[in-house]
Amino acid sequence: MSVGVVADFQPDSGELEHREDEAALTPRQAAAALFSSRLAQLIAESSVSTEDGSMRSLTLYSLAQHLELAYPDVPVSQSGLYRLIHGDAIPRLDLIIALARVFDVPPEYFVSENGRG
């Protein structure tokens, strides 16, 4: 199955909603929360074209398949993406770069509050 990701993404002002409990987060938890929210936003705003030319919402399964085909040296799975999108894991640098290329955003988008580094 061939999947093409189409991101309908408009960069925000760089301001994330700040929760009251953010002050209690460790740096690792804060990084996971930032990455998770950014990835979730990109997935929600994206769709994929299927072999028959129709469009549908991007799923973690289709994203994992696309990453596996486009970046075979970057190990990724649907369950790994699930853990990332729920803030239960922190991504490797190679995965951040691959995701940035797929969604056509700078890698800094996933790791910096202003999205530019």
Side-chain angles (χ1 to χ4, degrees), residues 45-105:
E45 295 172 352
S46 298
S47 58
V48 294
S49 59
T50 60
E51 289 177 355
D52 65 4
S54 62
M55 300 294 284
R56 62 184 170 92
S57 298
L58 180 64
T59 63
L60 292 180
Y61 177 74
S62 58
L63 178 57
Q65 279 188 316
H66 180 73
L67 286 166
E68 186 177 306
L69 291 171
Y71 303 99
D73 293 341
V74 178
V76 66
S77 67
Q78 180 181 356
S79 62
L81 290 174
Y82 179 88
R83 291 182 64 229
L84 290 170
I85 205 164
H86 287 89
D88 296 333
I90 294 179
R92 297 172 322 278
L93 182 56
D94 59 345
L95 182 57
I96 291 172
I97 292 169
L99 286 167
R101 289 178 180 165
V102 166
F103 289 108
D104 195 28
V105 296

Side-chain angles (χ1 to χ4, degrees), residues 5-53:
V5 177
V6 179
D8 182 21
F9 172 70
Q10 298 297 321
D12 60 15
S13 64
E15 296 296 318
L16 293 177
E17 292 181 24
H18 292 282
R19 301 180 314 218
E20 291 179 18
D21 62 339
E22 278 190 11
L25 296 179
T26 66
R28 182 176 175 85
Q29 290 169 326
L34 176 62
F35 180 86
S36 170
S37 67
R38 294 290 173 91
L39 181 59
Q41 180 182 7
L42 288 172
I43 289 173
E45 295 172 352
S46 298
S47 58
V48 294
S49 59
T50 60
E51 289 177 355
D52 65 4

